[in-house]
Amino acid sequence: MAVLIQPSHDRIEEVSPSRALELQRNGAVILDVRDDHERAIGAPRDSQALPLALLDSNIDTIVADRDRRILTICASGQRSLQAAEILRRRGYSNVMSIAGGFRRWQSEGMPMLESALDADATERYSRHLLLPNVGLAGQTKLMNAKVALVGAGGLGSPAALYLAAAGVGTIRLIDDDSVDTSNLQRQILHSNDRIGMAKTESARIALNALNPRVSIQPIQQRVRAENVEQLIAGYDIVIDGADNFPTRYLLDAASRRLKIPLIYGAVHRFTGQVSVFDARRDDSPCYRCLFPEAPSAAEAPNCAEAGVLGVLPGSIGLLQATEAIKLILGIGTPLIGRLLCYDALAASFRELRLMRDPKCPGCGVDAEFHGYDDLALRCSAR
């Protein structure tokens, strides 16, 4: 059986980055067909950007001369071959593809455009920069964001670690407790050699070791009526990693008054809950729509009394961090008006619709605020 071999003159010629640079210096155009978010991590110097999806319709605005040499480049060298074929069909007669794409261009130290991020940030956040919904603009939002995290324990540990890893610029950690041996079963920010240390300082050490670019603000205080607004004012998001109802009710009231989104999380034995209360939105419920009044200690014992599966706060804290990142980036559908319930034993999630209650004592039409002192007193009494 005869084998049809494509004539060599029909193939797209591939050239090395060094040869491409030489041709560019002699008048060739390097055409970068990656998407905009991919170029955020860098691009060949003096290259022209035209994503592959727009190439066929827009190439005339970049290179009008059908005889000019064009060198296509993408991430690894595959899309650039497709781009070259498109250009050839459009009548461009002198087209080549750069072998290995931008990865090889970068690894061989070819000249590049200055990135808006330095080399460390470009590498550290490279997987974010590749995402169309994040990219350079989104990563910049994360780097400029300020999150106040109340509690450096079971929920705060995974939330803080992932926020720091994501590059959230400022993380304020608010906790008045010290590291105890019993914490280490679930509070992964801490370690055995830091037993007795303030949790906020232990957390700062761990988070700065993970990402020294992030500003960690350890605040060794308990949230109280007299300091709650001061502790969270000026922050973009508050994450509730508290383990007591007085703190939760204070955070709910203060975040509503300051118009700061509050990301709620709670765990009990083998189950957990997550929701988002966003006082900037008229349709968002608040924490007191879910719990109008604090339950008694018998109705809702804390982890020290009821116990908790060690991995469970990891799952819930991770979801809280995810919601925070979504809010910062303005992507996806936040858990506003929804209560996500997780059962670790059944490995199941259940979502409950949480509507804003017009009779809510916190955000209802007739709700009256009598001060943080009154709120804390009533919660503590329960």
Side-chain angles (χ1 to χ4, degrees):
M1 182 177 68
V3 178
L4 179 63
I5 300 177
Q6 185 181 18
S8 60
H9 65 270
D10 285 340
R11 294 200 188 109
I12 300 298
E13 183 180 352
E14 293 185 273
V15 296
S16 68
S18 59
R19 175 59 177 157
L21 180 61
E22 180 184 343
L23 292 170
Q24 183 192 41
R25 287 169 175 166
N26 288 319
V29 175
I30 294 182
L31 190 65
D32 191 339
V33 298
R34 295 175 298 159
D35 292 333
D36 290 342
H37 66 275
E38 295 177 277
R39 286 174 58 85
I41 64 175
R45 185 181 296 166
D46 298 323
S47 60
Q48 298 291 323
L50 185 57
L52 183 61
L54 303 175
L55 180 62
D56 197 15
S57 58
N58 291 353
I59 183 58
D60 291 329
T61 65
I62 304 294
V63 184
D65 183 358
R66 295 293 198 274
D67 295 323
R68 189 172 180 184
R69 190 187 300 274
I70 300 177
L71 309 168
T72 57
I73 190 169
C74 63
S76 61
Q78 296 302 310
R79 280 175 291 170
S80 60
L81 288 170
Q82 297 177 41
E85 290 286 2
I86 292 171
L87 291 172
R88 179 177 284 179
R89 290 198 301 269
R90 287 291 308 272
Y92 290 86
S93 58
N94 200 350
V95 183
M96 297 177 178
S97 173
I98 300 177
F102 180 69
R103 292 174 190 166
R104 183 175 170 186
W105 182 281
Q106 188 177 33
S107 68
E108 293 186 6
M110 297 294 105
M112 301 202 322
L113 291 171
E114 291 293 328
S115 172
L117 303 178
D118 61 32
D120 175 77
T122 298
E123 183 175 3
R124 185 180 296 271
Y125 307 127
S126 61
R127 299 308 187 269
H128 273 176
L129 296 173
L130 292 170
L131 291 172
N133 289 346
V134 183
L136 177 59
Q139 189 60 48
T140 302
K141 289 180 181 179
L142 289 170
M143 293 163 63
N144 291 332
K146 299 173 66 177
V147 174
L149 201 165
V150 179
L155 296 174
S157 288
L161 284 166
Y162 272 103
L163 292 175
V168 170
T170 302
I171 301 174
R172 169 168 281 191
L173 294 169
I174 305 164
D175 199 310
D176 70 334
D177 202 3
S178 299
V179 180
D180 183 84
T181 305
S182 66
N183 300 150
L184 303 182
Q185 166 246 20
R186 63 201 177 282
Q187 299 182 19
I188 56 175
L189 270 174
H190 313 301
S191 59
N192 200 69
D193 63 340
R194 297 201 290 273
I195 289 173
M197 183 182 293
K199 283 185 178 179
T200 51
E201 179 60 16
S202 173
R204 184 196 64 77
I205 293 170
L207 296 173
N208 279 154
L210 174 65
N211 189 351
R213 304 180 67 92
V214 174
S215 173
I216 306 299
Q217 299 181 349
I219 306 294
Q220 193 179 6
Q221 294 183 32
R222 189 175 188 83
V223 174
R224 302 184 186 280
E226 61 268 21
N227 67 5
V228 59
E229 283 198 7
Q230 177 187 348
L231 289 173
I232 67 173
Y235 283 76
D236 302 308
I237 291 169
V238 177
I239 295 181
D240 170 16
D243 62 355
N244 63 87
F245 282 97
T247 298
R248 288 175 180 154
Y249 280 89
L250 287 172
L251 289 176
D252 175 64
S255 62
R256 264 189 286 110
R257 292 173 65 80
L258 297 173
K259 302 293 184 183
I260 304 173
L262 174 67
I263 301 176
Y264 158 70
V267 294
H268 176 70
R269 292 182 174 170
F270 301 99
T271 62
Q273 301 177 339
V274 187
S275 191
V276 175
F277 307 118
D278 192 345
R280 301 170 302 177
R281 292 178 41 165
D282 293 336
D283 62 337
S284 175
C286 74
Y287 181 69
R288 296 189 72 179
C289 292
L290 178 63
F291 296 110
E293 300 296 337
S296 67
E299 293 171 317
N302 62 27
C303 293
E305 298 166 331
V308 63
L309 185 67
V311 296
L312 178 62
S315 302
I316 301 303
L318 173 60
L319 289 169
Q320 288 180 285
T322 303
E323 290 302 301
I325 290 171
K326 285 162 54 181
L327 287 174
I328 293 167
L329 295 176
I331 62 174
T333 305
L335 281 171
I336 296 172
R338 298 183 292 153
L339 181 68
L340 188 63
C341 304
Y342 174 56
D343 184 333
L345 293 182
S348 66
F349 284 92
R350 184 167 56 111
E351 184 179 297
L352 303 178
R353 190 70 180 160
L354 182 59
M355 305 297 292
R356 183 165 185 170
D357 183 0
K359 297 182 179 179
C360 171
C363 66
V365 292
D366 297 321
E368 294 183 6
F369 180 68
H370 298 289
Y372 295 114
D373 286 309
D374 177 74
L375 186 63
L377 203 61
R378 287 191 292 113
C379 289
S380 298
R382 293 286 292 168

